[in-house]
Amino acid sequence: MKMNFSRVMRLIALRNRDQEAIVNVERNRRFTYEQYHLLTNRIADVLRSTLQIGKGDHFMLILENDNLSLMLFPTTFKQEGTVVMTNLRDPLEEHARQLDLVKPKVVFLETRLLDSYYDTLRSRGCAIVLMDPPFTEQAARPGVHCFWTLVEAASDLDNDVELDTDEHICVLRFTGGTTGKGKCAMYSIDNWMACRDAGFINTDLAISNATRLLHVSPLSHGTLMLFFPTLYAGGTNITMNQLDMERWRQEVEQERVTHSFLVPTVLYRLLEMQRAAPKDFSSLTTLIYGAAPMSPDKLGELVECFGQIFVQGYAATETPMFIAVLDKAAHQPGDAEALQHLSSAGRATPGVEVFIADQDGKPLPMGETGEIRIRCKAVIKGYFGNPQATADEFEDGAWKSGDLGYIDADGYLYIVDRLKDMIISGGFNVYAVEVEASLAAHPAVLMAAVVGIPHPEWGEAVHAEVVLRSGATVTEQELIAQAKNRLGSYKAPKSLIFVDELPTSVVGKVLRRQVKEKYWQGFARKIS
């Protein structure tokens, strides 16, 4: 099916003309729906007319949330090129690897990065568009353009671009790489429309024209899934660029934020901050979290502090929509059934096919653990420039998630672990997330990372690194004893150390791979 998204956005703008569409708090920019439509028309015209981006061409974004909000939907859908989204916080070396794979004609860049990125980009023939006004000497460099100068000279008229929603690859995006080098996922327009629809099908998300959603996690990653339904509903997408939780608290209060997306480790820090110095969070109706389950032992504290406003979403780069959702009713402290479900990822979004498969891809009965596989309209088109990975990870229309899990008799999906994060110790399978949950249940523990480390007898031994709450104390022996009581001796850590911090992604997800790597240096294999 072909669609003209200038017309689509024009109708949305007419419906919500004076409603705020975008608020960039750090740059103090506000755009109504009418202004946003005209601005994205201009940016699309810059891409097509000035920068000569056409069908099959790529342009790359190395940007903060404020600027990403201008370059995503509907800009991307109003022109024929393919946008390449990156993680701004990746090092130059990783961006260079990505550049060599996708070969963009143009790179949109934060101005402060020009000096360090210029030679790398120009040596690859890329034109550079700086998002904030450059210094005179920066602007004088060959191949450098100023974004707002280009935009002011462009046309804001609706265009005649029609794109095939199934076949056109509108976005390339790199996987998180928490277990290795990221791959380059290919997205159709229909993939993102499935993302939009999931926001409405899951009614507990309560997205409407009254929604004011604060994005603090990178828009290039998980929080983008909430951008689409909020915009289509006539709500307001509010952006922050840094994971500064004190600033986040201020913006929630001042902007009367209704929704936001955070990961559990950040929620636990937020809880401590709110207890120490409360802000007015009366506007907050929905706090969405993902990437890891919430600790059942901390749920009561969170609900007492914030109310029953929590929703868990399960998704992935390869399926950019909420595949499963654990609704607000399941976040009920003191309810034994709710606490059991709290360790799940929730129930599948209606219309999504989720099944558990054995090593040969055959479906397993309810309750048995295997690999989670997913079929839905959000499943990506494969990996750009990597047919082998595409063949390995997609089979018969399903994405093989690499997550181990099961579905119970009530339809709740439980994620036991990543296949690559399973520890085999003395012939027993130990799942890192299970051990981490047992440690996090202690009131002194803020967060933990559990990995397998080399052991001469067992192959791997269960090892934990633990961050304590500020001012709290507990001994290694006490935590190991607690894990033994909850899980049994063979699953409990055989060693444990206390650390000041754990390596985390930009959204606060603990990077087990980085914890594990230091213990396996000098070994040919990372498991035994």
Side-chain angles (χ1 to χ4, degrees):
M1 178 177 69
K2 289 187 176 181
M3 292 191 75
N4 178 307
F5 283 91
S6 284
R7 294 179 192 142
V8 169
M9 191 61 197
R10 166 63 68 185
L11 294 172
I12 294 174
L14 290 174
R15 184 186 184 96
N16 306 284
R17 189 188 306 271
D18 296 323
Q19 171 84 356
E20 283 186 330
I22 301 292
V23 175
N24 303 142
V25 296
E26 290 172 53
R27 284 180 169 82
N28 194 29
R29 298 189 304 221
R30 295 175 184 268
F31 301 99
T32 66
Y33 271 82
E34 182 173 28
Q35 292 168 337
Y36 187 58
H37 172 54
L38 296 176
L39 173 61
T40 53
N41 273 0
R42 287 180 179 273
I43 302 170
D45 186 57
V46 167
L47 287 162
R48 299 178 71 209
S49 302
T50 308
L51 300 175
Q52 295 292 296
I53 298 292
K55 186 176 181 180
D57 291 331
H58 298 160
F59 60 98
M60 180 179 278
L61 311 180
I62 307 178
L63 301 178
E64 297 170 331
N65 277 354
D66 284 356
N67 289 324
L68 282 173
S69 71
L70 309 185
M71 297 299 300
L72 300 176
F73 178 83
T75 297
T76 303
F77 293 2
K78 290 181 176 181
Q79 51 79 54
E80 302 92 333
T82 297
V83 64
V84 183
M85 290 198 290
T86 69
N87 182 348
L88 175 69
R89 294 161 182 82
D90 277 342
L92 175 57
E93 179 182 358
E94 176 63 12
H95 285 149
R97 185 185 75 83
Q98 296 168 357
L99 286 162
D100 291 337
L101 176 64
V102 301
K103 298 177 172 56
K105 288 178 66 173
V106 180
V107 174
F108 290 78
L109 187 71
E110 294 296 338
T111 302
R112 68 175 187 274
L113 298 177
L114 179 64
D115 291 343
S116 56
Y117 274 71
Y118 182 80
D119 290 341
T120 297
L121 296 178
R122 292 300 292 161
S123 68
R124 289 161 172 81
C126 301
I128 302 168
V129 178
L130 301 178
M131 300 302 291
D132 291 312
F135 294 117
T136 302
E137 60 272 19
Q138 290 177 318
R141 291 181 176 180
V144 173
H145 306 270
C146 177
F147 175 78
W148 290 104
T149 300
L150 297 178
V151 167
E152 287 166 6
S155 169
D156 65 4
L157 297 177
D158 293 354
N159 63 41
D160 59 358
V161 173
E162 294 184 341
L163 301 175
D164 189 300
T165 60
D166 178 59
E167 294 182 3
H168 175 66
I169 302 300
C170 59
V171 175
L172 298 177
R173 184 169 66 152
F174 291 88
T175 60
T178 57
T179 56
K181 290 291 186 183
K183 298 180 287 291
C184 187
M186 299 187 293
Y187 299 85
S188 70
I189 293 172
D190 279 344
N191 292 154
W192 295 111
M193 294 302 100
C195 162
R196 172 203 62 188
D197 295 345
F200 299 127
I201 293 170
N202 290 296
T203 55
D204 228 30
L205 296 176
I207 295 175
S208 71
N209 62 356
T211 295
R212 294 181 65 80
L213 198 150
L214 178 55
H215 300 270
V216 64
S217 300
L219 270 173
S220 54
H221 291 70
T223 191
L224 179 59
M225 291 187 300
L226 297 162
F227 185 92
F228 280 88
T230 299
L231 193 64
Y232 268 87
T236 305
N237 283 294
I238 305 169
T239 62
M240 285 178 54
N241 297 323
Q242 302 293 329
L243 190 62
D244 179 339
M245 292 315 299
E246 186 53 47
R247 179 70 183 269
W248 183 93
R249 296 195 324 133
Q250 293 172 9
E251 295 304 332
V252 168
E253 187 175 59
Q254 293 172 11
E255 292 288 342
R256 306 304 295 160
V257 168
T258 62
H259 292 61
S260 195
F261 175 89
L262 301 169
V263 298
T265 51
V266 175
L267 283 172
Y268 304 154
R269 293 188 185 279
L270 181 62
L271 174 63
E272 293 188 337
M273 295 172 73
Q274 184 66 1
R275 282 173 165 173
K279 294 282 188 184
D280 178 8
F281 285 175
S282 59
S283 63
L284 268 180
T285 62
T286 309
L287 271 177
I288 303 150
Y289 68 95
M294 184 182 289
S295 166
D297 296 86
K298 290 185 169 61
L299 172 63
E301 300 175 63
L302 286 162
V303 170
E304 181 183 4
C305 185
F306 298 104
Q308 200 169 348
I309 65 173
F310 298 96
V311 178
Q312 181 187 172
Y314 170 57
T317 302
E318 288 82 358
T319 54
M321 64 174 280
F322 288 124
I323 296 301
V325 166
L326 188 68
D327 61 20
K328 293 171 184 174
H331 296 76
Q332 179 61 53
D335 184 309
E337 184 178 3
L339 287 174
Q340 170 64 26
H341 293 152
L342 190 67
S343 61
S344 77
R347 288 168 159 154
T349 293
V352 174
E353 179 187 356
V354 180
F355 63 100
I356 309 300
D358 64 15
Q359 295 182 33
D360 299 319
K362 296 178 181 178
L364 291 169
M366 291 290 179
E368 290 196 21
T369 297
E371 185 179 32
I372 299 168
R373 297 195 177 190
I374 298 163
R375 287 192 184 107
C376 63
K377 288 187 69 174
V379 173
I380 64 168
K381 295 294 189 178
Y383 300 115
F384 179 80
N386 198 338
Q388 185 59 56
T390 301
D392 290 343
E393 296 198 23
F394 300 87
E395 184 176 294
D396 198 22
W399 175 55
K400 300 188 287 186
S401 72
D403 285 334
L404 289 171
Y406 65 93
I407 299 173
D408 72 10
D410 296 317
Y412 286 87
L413 173 65
Y414 291 81
I415 302 166
V416 179
D417 208 349
R418 287 287 300 174
L419 279 168
K420 293 179 181 178
D421 287 337
M422 185 171 68
I423 302 163
I424 302 178
S425 183
F428 291 98
N429 292 347
V430 180
Y431 301 117
V433 290
E434 188 178 21
V435 185
E436 287 167 357
S438 75
L439 296 171
H442 195 285
V445 173
L446 182 63
M447 66 180 80
V450 170
V451 297
I453 64 173
H455 191 278
E457 294 179 32
W458 306 324
E460 292 179 275
V462 181
H463 174 74
E465 291 192 358
V466 174
V467 179
L468 297 180
R469 290 175 179 261
S470 177
T473 59
V474 66
T475 67
E476 170 190 353
Q477 292 75 21
E478 286 175 311
L479 288 180
I480 292 176
Q482 174 170 290
K484 285 181 179 179
N485 289 335
R486 287 176 171 247
L487 304 175
S489 295
Y490 81 93
K491 289 185 177 181
K494 301 302 181 288
S495 57
L496 183 150
I497 63 171
F498 298 106
V499 295
D500 293 332
E501 60 182 9
L502 290 167
T504 59
S505 69
V506 293
V507 297
K509 182 179 179 180
V510 174
L511 299 173
R512 286 198 203 102
R513 177 176 57 85
Q514 290 188 18
V515 175
K516 185 176 182 178
E517 280 177 350
K518 60 187 176 185
Y519 296 102
W520 289 88
Q521 290 179 8
F523 289 80
R525 297 176 62 189
K526 300 303 181 186
I527 58 172
S528 297

